[in-house]
Short mmCIF file of all heavy atoms in Angstrom, two decimals:
data_model
loop_
_atom_site.label_atom_id
_atom_site.label_comp_id
_atom_site.label_asym_id
_atom_site.label_seq_id
_atom_site.Cartn_x
_atom_site.Cartn_y
_atom_site.Cartn_z
N ALA A 196 56.70 -55.24 68.99
CA ALA A 196 56.39 -55.80 67.68
C ALA A 196 56.39 -57.32 67.76
O ALA A 196 57.00 -57.92 68.65
CB ALA A 196 57.41 -55.33 66.64
N ASP A 197 55.71 -57.94 66.82
CA ASP A 197 55.59 -59.40 66.80
C ASP A 197 56.93 -60.10 66.71
O ASP A 197 57.09 -61.21 67.23
CB ASP A 197 54.70 -59.82 65.62
CG ASP A 197 53.23 -59.55 65.89
OD1 ASP A 197 52.60 -60.35 66.60
OD2 ASP A 197 52.71 -58.54 65.40
N LYS A 198 57.91 -59.49 66.06
CA LYS A 198 59.18 -60.16 65.85
C LYS A 198 59.92 -60.46 67.15
O LYS A 198 60.78 -61.34 67.20
CB LYS A 198 60.08 -59.33 64.93
CG LYS A 198 60.57 -58.03 65.51
CD LYS A 198 61.59 -57.35 64.59
CE LYS A 198 62.89 -58.12 64.55
NZ LYS A 198 63.93 -57.43 63.76
N LEU A 200 58.30 -61.30 70.07
CA LEU A 200 57.55 -62.23 70.91
C LEU A 200 58.22 -63.60 70.92
O LEU A 200 58.46 -64.20 69.87
CB LEU A 200 56.12 -62.35 70.39
CG LEU A 200 55.20 -63.34 71.15
CD1 LEU A 200 55.06 -62.93 72.61
CD2 LEU A 200 53.83 -63.42 70.48
N GLN A 234 57.97 -59.86 77.89
CA GLN A 234 57.39 -60.94 77.08
C GLN A 234 55.93 -61.17 77.44
O GLN A 234 55.09 -61.46 76.56
CB GLN A 234 58.20 -62.22 77.27
CG GLN A 234 59.53 -62.24 76.53
CD GLN A 234 59.36 -62.21 75.01
OE1 GLN A 234 58.56 -62.96 74.46
NE2 GLN A 234 60.11 -61.34 74.34
N SER A 235 55.59 -61.04 78.72
CA SER A 235 54.19 -61.16 79.13
C SER A 235 53.33 -60.08 78.49
O SER A 235 52.19 -60.34 78.07
CB SER A 235 54.08 -61.07 80.66
OG SER A 235 54.77 -62.13 81.28
N LEU A 236 53.88 -58.88 78.41
CA LEU A 236 53.16 -57.78 77.77
C LEU A 236 52.96 -58.06 76.28
O LEU A 236 51.86 -57.87 75.74
CB LEU A 236 53.92 -56.47 77.96
CG LEU A 236 53.33 -55.23 77.28
CD1 LEU A 236 51.92 -54.94 77.79
CD2 LEU A 236 54.23 -54.02 77.48
N LEU A 237 54.01 -58.52 75.61
CA LEU A 237 53.89 -58.84 74.19
C LEU A 237 52.84 -59.92 73.95
O LEU A 237 52.08 -59.85 72.97
CB LEU A 237 55.24 -59.30 73.63
CG LEU A 237 56.35 -58.25 73.53
CD1 LEU A 237 57.60 -58.88 72.91
CD2 LEU A 237 55.92 -57.05 72.70
N LEU A 238 52.80 -60.91 74.82
CA LEU A 238 51.83 -61.99 74.67
C LEU A 238 50.40 -61.46 74.79
O LEU A 238 49.51 -61.83 74.01
CB LEU A 238 52.09 -63.07 75.71
CG LEU A 238 51.19 -64.32 75.63
CD1 LEU A 238 51.32 -64.99 74.27
CD2 LEU A 238 51.54 -65.29 76.76
N VAL A 239 50.16 -60.58 75.76
CA VAL A 239 48.83 -59.98 75.92
C VAL A 239 48.48 -59.15 74.70
O VAL A 239 47.34 -59.21 74.19
CB VAL A 239 48.77 -59.13 77.20
CG1 VAL A 239 47.52 -58.25 77.21
CG2 VAL A 239 48.79 -60.02 78.43
N LEU A 240 49.42 -58.37 74.20
CA LEU A 240 49.16 -57.55 73.02
C LEU A 240 48.86 -58.42 71.80
O LEU A 240 48.04 -58.06 70.95
CB LEU A 240 50.35 -56.64 72.73
CG LEU A 240 50.69 -55.61 73.82
CD1 LEU A 240 51.92 -54.80 73.41
CD2 LEU A 240 49.51 -54.68 74.09
N ARG A 241 49.52 -59.57 71.71
CA ARG A 241 49.27 -60.49 70.60
C ARG A 241 47.85 -61.05 70.67
O ARG A 241 47.16 -61.16 69.65
CB ARG A 241 50.31 -61.61 70.63
CG ARG A 241 50.19 -62.69 69.54
CD ARG A 241 50.38 -62.12 68.14
NE ARG A 241 49.11 -61.73 67.57
CZ ARG A 241 48.96 -60.76 66.68
NH1 ARG A 241 50.01 -60.06 66.27
NH2 ARG A 241 47.78 -60.46 66.21
N ARG A 242 47.42 -61.41 71.88
CA ARG A 242 46.07 -61.93 72.05
C ARG A 242 45.02 -60.89 71.70
O ARG A 242 44.00 -61.19 71.08
CB ARG A 242 45.87 -62.41 73.49
CG ARG A 242 46.66 -63.68 73.82
CD ARG A 242 46.58 -64.00 75.30
NE ARG A 242 47.32 -65.22 75.62
CZ ARG A 242 47.62 -65.61 76.85
NH1 ARG A 242 47.27 -64.85 77.88
NH2 ARG A 242 48.29 -66.73 77.05
N ILE A 243 45.27 -59.64 72.12
CA ILE A 243 44.34 -58.56 71.78
C ILE A 243 44.36 -58.32 70.27
O ILE A 243 43.31 -58.13 69.64
CB ILE A 243 44.71 -57.28 72.55
CG1 ILE A 243 44.52 -57.49 74.05
CG2 ILE A 243 43.87 -56.10 72.06
CD1 ILE A 243 45.03 -56.35 74.90
N GLY A 244 45.54 -58.34 69.69
CA GLY A 244 45.65 -58.14 68.25
C GLY A 244 44.87 -59.18 67.46
O GLY A 244 44.29 -58.88 66.41
N ASP A 245 44.83 -60.40 67.97
CA ASP A 245 44.09 -61.47 67.29
C ASP A 245 42.60 -61.16 67.22
O ASP A 245 41.90 -61.58 66.29
CB ASP A 245 44.30 -62.80 68.01
CG ASP A 245 45.71 -63.36 67.82
OD1 ASP A 245 46.39 -62.92 66.86
OD2 ASP A 245 46.13 -64.21 68.63
N ARG A 246 42.09 -60.42 68.20
CA ARG A 246 40.66 -60.07 68.19
C ARG A 246 40.31 -59.09 67.07
O ARG A 246 39.18 -59.07 66.59
CB ARG A 246 40.28 -59.45 69.53
CG ARG A 246 40.43 -60.37 70.73
CD ARG A 246 40.23 -59.62 72.03
NE ARG A 246 40.61 -60.46 73.17
CZ ARG A 246 40.93 -60.00 74.35
NH1 ARG A 246 40.89 -58.70 74.58
NH2 ARG A 246 41.26 -60.84 75.33
N TYR A 247 41.29 -58.29 66.71
CA TYR A 247 41.03 -57.24 65.72
C TYR A 247 41.72 -57.48 64.38
O TYR A 247 41.56 -56.67 63.45
CB TYR A 247 41.49 -55.88 66.27
CG TYR A 247 40.81 -55.47 67.55
CD1 TYR A 247 41.39 -55.70 68.79
CD2 TYR A 247 39.56 -54.84 67.52
CE1 TYR A 247 40.78 -55.31 69.97
CE2 TYR A 247 38.94 -54.45 68.69
CZ TYR A 247 39.55 -54.69 69.92
OH TYR A 247 38.91 -54.31 71.08
N GLY A 248 42.50 -58.54 64.30
CA GLY A 248 43.27 -58.77 63.08
C GLY A 248 44.37 -57.75 62.92
O GLY A 248 44.69 -57.32 61.81
N ARG A 249 44.99 -57.37 64.06
CA ARG A 249 46.05 -56.35 64.07
C ARG A 249 47.33 -56.93 64.64
O ARG A 249 47.34 -57.97 65.30
CB ARG A 249 45.65 -55.13 64.90
CG ARG A 249 44.46 -54.26 64.49
CD ARG A 249 44.26 -54.06 63.04
NE ARG A 249 43.53 -52.84 62.71
CZ ARG A 249 42.22 -52.80 62.46
NH1 ARG A 249 41.49 -53.90 62.55
NH2 ARG A 249 41.64 -51.65 62.12
N SER A 250 48.42 -56.20 64.42
CA SER A 250 49.72 -56.62 64.93
C SER A 250 49.94 -56.08 66.34
O SER A 250 49.19 -55.22 66.83
CB SER A 250 50.84 -56.10 64.02
OG SER A 250 50.92 -54.68 64.11
N ILE A 251 50.98 -56.58 66.99
CA ILE A 251 51.37 -56.05 68.30
C ILE A 251 51.65 -54.55 68.20
O ILE A 251 51.22 -53.76 69.05
CB ILE A 251 52.60 -56.81 68.85
CG1 ILE A 251 52.18 -58.21 69.32
CG2 ILE A 251 53.27 -56.03 69.99
CD1 ILE A 251 53.33 -59.07 69.80
N ALA A 252 52.37 -54.15 67.16
CA ALA A 252 52.68 -52.73 66.99
C ALA A 252 51.41 -51.90 66.83
O ALA A 252 51.32 -50.78 67.36
CB ALA A 252 53.59 -52.54 65.78
N ASN A 253 50.42 -52.42 66.12
CA ASN A 253 49.16 -51.70 65.96
C ASN A 253 48.47 -51.50 67.30
O ASN A 253 47.94 -50.41 67.58
CB ASN A 253 48.21 -52.48 65.05
CG ASN A 253 48.67 -52.59 63.62
OD1 ASN A 253 48.30 -53.54 62.92
ND2 ASN A 253 49.48 -51.65 63.15
N ILE A 254 48.46 -52.54 68.13
CA ILE A 254 47.79 -52.43 69.44
C ILE A 254 48.54 -51.45 70.34
O ILE A 254 47.92 -50.64 71.04
CB ILE A 254 47.68 -53.81 70.11
CG1 ILE A 254 46.90 -54.79 69.21
CG2 ILE A 254 47.01 -53.69 71.47
CD1 ILE A 254 45.50 -54.33 68.85
N ALA A 255 49.87 -51.51 70.32
CA ALA A 255 50.66 -50.58 71.13
C ALA A 255 50.44 -49.14 70.68
O ALA A 255 50.37 -48.22 71.52
CB ALA A 255 52.14 -50.94 71.05
N GLU A 282 51.29 -51.16 57.13
CA GLU A 282 51.12 -51.80 58.43
C GLU A 282 50.72 -50.78 59.48
O GLU A 282 49.81 -51.02 60.29
CB GLU A 282 52.43 -52.48 58.84
CG GLU A 282 52.49 -52.97 60.27
CD GLU A 282 51.51 -54.10 60.55
OE1 GLU A 282 51.04 -54.74 59.60
OE2 GLU A 282 51.20 -54.31 61.73
N GLU A 298 43.28 -56.03 80.55
CA GLU A 298 44.29 -57.08 80.38
C GLU A 298 45.69 -56.47 80.28
O GLU A 298 46.66 -57.04 80.81
CB GLU A 298 43.97 -57.91 79.14
CG GLU A 298 42.71 -58.76 79.30
CD GLU A 298 42.36 -59.52 78.03
OE1 GLU A 298 43.18 -59.52 77.08
OE2 GLU A 298 41.26 -60.12 77.99
N ILE A 299 45.79 -55.33 79.62
CA ILE A 299 47.08 -54.64 79.53
C ILE A 299 47.51 -54.13 80.90
O ILE A 299 48.65 -54.30 81.32
CB ILE A 299 46.99 -53.49 78.51
CG1 ILE A 299 46.84 -54.03 77.09
CG2 ILE A 299 48.22 -52.58 78.61
CD1 ILE A 299 46.54 -52.97 76.05
#
Side-chain angles (χ1 to χ4, degrees):
D197 285 281
K198 68 173 290 185
L200 178 60
Q234 284 295 312
S235 298
L236 177 60
L237 291 182
L238 183 59
V239 167
L240 297 179
R241 179 63 269 151
R242 290 172 179 167
I243 295 172
D245 289 341
R246 297 171 190 159
Y247 300 96
R249 296 324 204 262
S250 68
I251 286 177
N253 293 154
I254 302 302
E282 170 66 19
E298 291 177 8
I299 291 171

